[in-house]
Amino acid sequence: MKLVTFENTARQSRIGAVLGDHRIVDLHTACALYLRDVESKAIFYRMADALVPPDMRALFRGGDTSLEAARKALDYVTHRSADGGAILTGPRGEPVFYPAADVQLKAPIIPKKFFHTAGNFREHHEEATKAGFSHPVMPWIVFFQNTDAIIGHDEPVIYPEHLTQELDYELELAVVLKKAGKHFPPEEAPSYIGGYVIFNDITARDIQRREMKSGVFSFCKGIDTFCPLGPWIVTADEIPDAHNLAMELRVNGESRQRSHSSKMSVKIPEILSHYSPMGYSAGDVVSTGTVSGVAAFSGDPKAWYLKPGDVMECEIEKIGVLRNPVISWEKAYGRKPAALATQETVK
């Protein structure tokens, strides 16, 4: 399944599954319909609330039970729809299917914790070394993302020109966990994987260099809108080998990053096991590191850094394309930014 969070025509937040004909199935409504029609449940809405709630984190908290209920509901309504006849509606007459053009995709999930992995692709370390970056990008560094910075497909990254002049992109594959857990070995890690999603780790390089003088970085990656995630979560059963996926990031149609998930230095089971002492909640997201080709380590960083008007497309095989434009602060907020304290002025 390709799982999405979307706003319907009534501006309600719902979760759905994307079909190949560009329709989106409202999974909560589909589950209620399945429970009423197939399983003859009297309290079908209350059961749907528990099994396939209209919230992605809550769905993943249900683990395999909820994911299987969502699959059954999806199969039922798609088969009913294929039979033709009247337009299929939910038990209250509400839509089951939405044309993708009629809804707005949001970030598919807002996790409780978002674990970053830095330096997991050796090629990224090598390009950083060649460019004379201040610190080696060695496998593997872990830090947390500001989840309030998450945006979805087609939502804009806001360029804070008063904070940075070196806005960069980083294509990454991320894992969504389907159950809570801690202190588990790599061989148990696959049982925790609920699905995969594309992540673009937007980074202010000039801020990052200043932060890394103390050996840490966070602000450079956690600024508002710096965490595009999406366009959907592809469930693990659709991707039998996450280490066999082509990866590419384009800016204005020009290929910037092109690599393959097989080039990870540390594989996903080891990553998940290594971080597990910190404890996972269902719906947590774990990134796996970026590939070579970032602007900062290119032959002409100034020409490659992002600017307002640019459009980024992050593509990972078997998942899809996450697209985000870059817009100016003034366009986003209709005003110029107020003066802020910088790291140089704070004593």
Side-chain angles (χ1 to χ4, degrees):
M1 292 183 292
K2 291 179 178 176
L3 300 172
V4 293
T5 294
F6 68 97
E7 280 189 359
N8 63 17
T9 50
R11 302 300 299 273
Q12 298 169 318
S13 180
R14 310 291 291 176
I15 66 165
V18 180
L19 300 178
D21 59 2
H22 305 292
R23 289 183 300 165
I24 292 174
V25 174
D26 184 317
L27 287 173
H28 177 259
T29 299
C31 182
L33 197 62
Y34 171 84
L35 291 168
R36 186 194 70 176
D37 294 353
V38 178
E39 298 195 359
S40 302
K41 302 295 185 183
I43 52 171
F44 45 86
Y45 270 117
R46 281 164 59 186
M47 289 183 68
D49 288 343
L51 284 170
V52 186
D55 173 81
M56 197 67 77
R57 259 179 67 191
L59 177 75
F60 277 93
R61 279 199 298 271
D64 287 331
T65 300
S66 287
L67 290 171
E68 182 57 29
R71 285 189 192 95
K72 286 181 179 178
L74 177 62
D75 288 344
Y76 172 67
V77 297
T78 51
H79 288 148
R80 281 277 308 272
S81 175
D83 290 340
I87 295 173
L88 191 64
T89 60
R92 293 173 179 153
E94 70 273 42
V96 175
F97 297 93
Y98 292 87
D102 290 352
V103 304
Q104 182 179 358
L105 293 188
K106 308 300 288 184
I109 195 165
I110 305 297
K112 183 178 180 181
K113 294 192 293 297
F114 193 128
F115 298 77
H116 270 269
T117 300
N120 191 27
F121 283 78
R122 190 71 188 170
E123 60 192 41
H124 186 47
H125 164 66
E126 289 168 356
E127 69 174 355
T129 302
K130 261 184 214 177
F133 195 55
S134 58
H135 287 66
V137 185
M138 298 289 288
W140 39 344
I141 305 161
V142 59
F143 57 98
F144 288 102
Q145 172 66 36
N146 168 25
T147 57
D148 286 342
I150 293 174
I151 59 172
H153 180 69
D154 274 338
E155 293 188 279
V157 171
I158 300 170
Y159 190 153
E161 297 101 323
H162 56 301
L163 298 176
T164 179
Q165 295 299 307
E166 299 181 7
L167 197 65
D168 210 345
Y169 47 80
E170 291 189 3
L171 167 64
E172 303 198 24
L173 172 67
V175 179
V176 182
L177 302 182
K178 66 181 177 183
K179 62 181 180 180
K182 60 183 72 172
H183 297 292
F184 56 79
E187 55 266 28
E188 291 182 14
S191 70
Y192 287 83
I193 298 174
Y196 301 93
V197 65
I198 302 171
F199 167 45
N200 188 355
D201 183 15
I202 304 297
T203 307
R205 297 295 183 193
D206 37 8
I207 297 174
Q208 184 182 31
R209 283 194 299 273
R210 293 196 298 266
E211 287 191 292
M212 289 186 72
K213 289 177 182 177
S214 62
V216 297
F217 51 89
S218 177
F219 185 51
C220 64
K221 294 174 177 284
I223 296 169
D224 183 41
T225 74
F226 274 26
C227 188
L229 194 69
W232 38 66
I233 298 165
V234 177
T235 51
D237 60 299
E238 303 267 340
I239 302 179
D241 185 1
H243 302 103
N244 188 29
L245 304 174
M247 304 172 67
E248 183 179 28
L249 181 142
R250 299 178 292 274
V251 178
N252 304 327
E254 177 189 21
S255 182
R256 296 286 184 86
Q257 292 183 280
R258 183 180 289 173
S259 191
H260 200 271
S261 64
S262 62
K263 296 183 179 181
M264 291 183 194
S265 298
V266 183
K267 304 305 183 187
I268 291 170
E270 286 75 23
I271 292 171
L272 297 181
S273 172
H274 185 66
Y275 300 163
S276 68
M278 291 188 277
Y280 294 120
S281 299
D284 280 354
V285 173
V286 181
S287 77
T288 60
T290 196
V291 301
S292 61
V294 299
F297 306 148
S298 69
D300 190 359
K302 287 186 178 179
W304 275 28
Y305 281 134
L306 296 167
K307 59 187 182 301
D310 285 344
V311 177
M312 299 171 287
E313 292 176 306
C314 296
E315 183 169 6
I316 298 182
E317 185 181 4
K318 298 185 184 299
I319 299 179
V321 177
L322 170 65
R323 182 178 59 246
N324 297 94
V326 180
I327 66 172
S328 69
W329 173 280
E330 193 165 353
K331 181 176 180 180
Y333 297 108
R335 58 180 173 82
K336 292 185 177 180
L340 298 176
T342 67
Q343 288 175 310
E344 282 85 358
T345 61
V346 176
K347 303 297 183 184

